[in-house]
Every structure is written in structure tokens, then in C-alpha cells.
């Protein structure tokens, strides 16, 4: 039986992305945001009839001129099962280590938390300096803003930490599905890192998620950088390292959407 966090990973994106699903595969797309690899991806759930699944997924993305990408998810086939199949069909495999972390303990008393203004927002669209910070996270492009606006419209939240000039320098995005609350993105502008802004933004989100009336049984995230893992551990997260994969038609793509302090 899937845990609340696994159900979140499997189902939550259905709330704000177009999708098609069969017992053999699942594919998401966003016609308004074709550049977002986090919004346009497929999951191969079974090797049975994999040839037909691949044809259907590639057809699903063809009219949008999107390069098909398969992600590993809790219900996907393993890389051991699928590597040869993907490679034989012209897909490049990228593997990466990530920490799957659950919120289990109290915040460390020694953590640095900036005493700065922090605001929690729920209403899209993001505008002004807040939108500019998200664009910085995505390399000055707007695909991340489009995705986060859809998450907010579906009930997500975003917290911003501001510097002394009242300019946002860090943000944290969270969303829920059923009994799970997932922290999807954490980002701090480069010159403001290691000053406690990311911790302030994250604590605001945790405060929201831990309210008893929310009823979340799991609060979790995935962190891939050493700095992000250390920060999350000081905030009370604990986890283990797992290996994930991306299978991209042709050239490999970069994974996105992990906390960055």
C-alpha cells in the first residue's frame, strides 16, 4: 500500500496538469508551459506492452514538439528493468542521488535563522520582485513561474523571506495531496545564502503544514545538494539516499525542482 507521500508523488500533479493514464504508463503535459521538464514527463509503470506504451507517450507529446522524458516515481519500473529498453529506443539515461527526507524531529537549536520578514502567499499569479526571484531560480526563464502559479491555483503555498530592503531573497513552495505535504522547491538568491533566509522561508512553510487542522501525516521533501541536506537536517528532516533516473529521448535533461539553499 502506498504511503501518503507516495500517493502525493503519484497523484498530486493531476490537480493542475493535463494527463493521460493507463495501467501501463502515465504522462503529464502543460500546453501553456512546454519548456518545463517538471510539467511534461511520463512514468512507465510496467514493462508489459512497453513498446506500445512508448509509442503512445511519444505521440502524446509530438503535437507539442516536446522531447519525451520518463521519470522514476514510486510506481515506475526500476532502472534495472528498463535501462536496456530505453537505450535501445534512443533514450539517454541520467541517474542522480537524492535524499528523500521526512520531517521527524524538532528544529536544531543551533540553526541560523534570519530575523527577517516572511510572508506566506496563496493567490496566483506571482508578480513583481517575487516573480523575478522565481525567474532567477529558473535561469531567468518563466517556465518555473508558470508551474508554480498552477500549483498555487490548485491549493499550494509559497513563502518569501525578505532582506532589509524588503526585497524577496528566498522562497519555499509547498503543496498537499491527501495526508501528505510536500516541500517542492526551496531557493535562496546566491549572495544571500548561508545567512538564514532559506531557513526562515522553510520554517514559515513548516508552521503552516504542522497546524493540527491540516491533518498531514507526512511532511516530506527531496534534497540533492549537500547544503540543502544539511539545512533540512537542522530543520528536523531525516532521510536516506535513493537513486533516481531520467530517460530522455536523445540528449539528457537536467533534473529540476529540488531544494537549493
Amino acid at each position: 500500500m502506498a504511503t501518503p507521500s507516495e500517493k502525493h508523488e503519484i497523484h498530486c500533479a493531476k490537480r493542475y496538469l493535463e494527463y493521460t493514464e493507463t495501467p501501463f504508463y502515465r504522462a503529464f503535459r502543460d500546453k501553456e508551459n512546454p519548456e518545463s521538464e517538471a510539467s511534461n514527463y511520463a512514468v512507465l509503470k510496467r514493462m508489459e506492452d512497453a513498446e506500445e506504451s512508448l509509442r503512445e507517450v511519444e505521440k502524446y507529446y509530438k503535437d507539442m514538439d516536446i522531447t519525451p522524458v520518463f521519470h522514476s516515481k514510486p510506481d515506475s519500473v526500476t532502472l534495472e528493468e528498463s535501462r536496456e529498453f530505453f537505450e535501445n529506443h534512443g533514450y539517454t539515461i541520467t541517474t542522480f542521488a537524492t535524499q528523500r527526507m521526512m520531517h521527524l524531529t524538532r528544529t536544531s537549536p543551533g540553526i541560523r535563522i534570519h530575523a527577517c520578514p516572511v510572508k506566506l502567499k496563496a493567490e496566483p499569479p506571482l508578480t513583481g520582485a517575487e516573480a523575478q526571484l522565481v525567474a532567477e531560480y529558473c535561469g531567468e526563464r518563466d517556465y518555473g513561474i508558470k508551474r508554480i502559479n498552477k500549483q498555487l491555483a490548485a491549493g499550494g503555498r509559497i513563502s518569501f523571506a525578505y532582506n532589509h530592503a524588503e526585497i524577496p531573497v528566498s522562497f519555499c513552495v509547498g503543496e498537499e495531496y491527501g495526508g501528505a505535504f510536500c516541500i517542492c522547491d526551496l531557493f535562496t538568491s546566491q549572495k544571500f545564502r548561508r545567512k538564514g533566509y532559506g531557513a526562515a522561508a522553510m520554517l514559515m512553510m513548516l508552521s503552516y503544514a504542522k497546524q493540527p487542522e491540516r491533518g498531514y501525516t507526512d511532511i516530506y521533501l527531496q534534497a540533492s545538494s549537500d547544503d540543502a541536506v544539511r539545512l533540512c537536517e537542522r530543520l528536523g528532516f531525516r532521510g536516506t539516499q535513493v537513486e533516481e533516473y531520467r530517460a530522455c529521448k536523445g540528449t539528457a535533461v537536467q533534473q529540476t525542482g529540488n531544494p537549493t539553499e
Side-chain angles (χ1 to χ4, degrees):
M1 182 178 294
T3 66
S5 61
E6 289 172 335
K7 289 180 181 178
H8 178 283
E9 288 190 54
I10 293 169
H11 299 297
C12 189
K14 297 175 183 178
R15 300 172 63 182
Y16 51 86
L17 297 175
E18 181 182 345
Y19 72 95
T20 182
E21 186 166 25
T22 75
F24 305 97
Y25 71 87
R26 178 172 63 256
F28 294 99
R29 68 183 185 184
D30 185 350
K31 293 180 178 179
E32 299 172 349
N33 198 16
E35 291 186 65
S36 173
E37 185 260 336
S39 302
N40 300 277
Y41 67 91
V43 177
L44 185 63
K45 299 192 285 184
R46 298 184 189 177
M47 291 307 299
E48 180 185 354
D49 291 333
E51 294 275 357
E52 179 63 21
S53 295
L54 190 65
R55 283 194 294 270
E56 292 181 8
V57 167
E58 291 182 348
K59 182 179 179 181
Y60 187 65
Y61 293 119
K62 186 175 181 180
D63 65 336
M64 293 175 58
D65 196 27
I66 290 175
T67 300
V69 181
F70 286 83
H71 287 197
S72 53
K73 291 292 181 181
D75 61 337
S76 67
V77 295
T78 66
L79 185 56
E80 289 73 22
E81 295 175 283
S82 59
R83 180 188 287 275
E84 184 176 0
F85 172 78
F86 281 128
E87 291 180 340
N88 286 343
H89 288 80
Y91 281 73
T92 299
I93 306 294
T94 302
T95 61
F96 56 95
T98 184
Q99 285 273 345
R100 183 181 179 89
M101 309 184 79
M102 306 289 293
H103 194 258
L104 299 175
T105 65
R106 295 181 179 180
T107 299
S108 169
I111 188 172
R112 183 174 186 178
I113 303 169
H114 203 290
C116 61
V118 186
K119 297 179 183 178
L120 186 70
K121 297 191 174 186
E123 296 297 326
L126 297 175
T127 60
E130 285 82 8
Q132 290 177 11
L133 180 63
V134 176
E136 179 185 341
Y137 171 55
C138 300
E140 302 301 330
R141 292 178 289 178
D142 66 354
Y143 65 82
I145 299 171
K146 291 177 180 177
R147 174 176 58 86
I148 289 172
N149 280 334
K150 289 203 169 189
Q151 290 174 294
L152 295 177
R157 296 291 188 274
I158 184 167
S159 58
F160 287 99
Y162 300 81
N163 66 8
H164 69 279
E166 299 185 355
I167 297 172
V169 298
S170 184
F171 73 85
C172 178
V173 179
E175 62 180 10
E176 59 86 20
Y177 183 89
F181 189 85
C182 175
I183 294 175
C184 315
D185 301 275
L186 174 64
F187 174 76
T188 303
S189 189
Q190 183 71 42
K191 66 180 181 180
F192 293 97
R193 293 180 184 176
R194 299 183 180 88
K195 300 179 184 296
Y197 288 103
M202 177 81 89
L203 280 175
M204 171 66 79
M205 192 63 68
L206 285 174
S207 177
Y208 167 81
K210 289 165 65 177
Q211 294 173 8
E213 62 267 25
R214 305 291 171 199
Y216 301 131
T217 57
D218 288 358
I219 301 175
Y220 84 105
L221 54 79
Q222 290 189 210
S224 55
S225 74
D226 291 340
D227 284 347
V229 170
R230 283 192 290 269
L231 172 64
C232 294
E233 287 178 340
R234 292 172 186 145
L235 288 165
F237 287 86
R238 297 292 182 269
T240 56
Q241 182 170 294
V242 296
E243 184 176 70
E244 297 197 350
Y245 69 83
R246 300 285 187 266
C248 178
K249 183 75 171 182
T251 306
V253 296
Q254 296 293 323
Q255 73 271 15
T256 59
N258 288 311
T260 304
E261 166 54 8

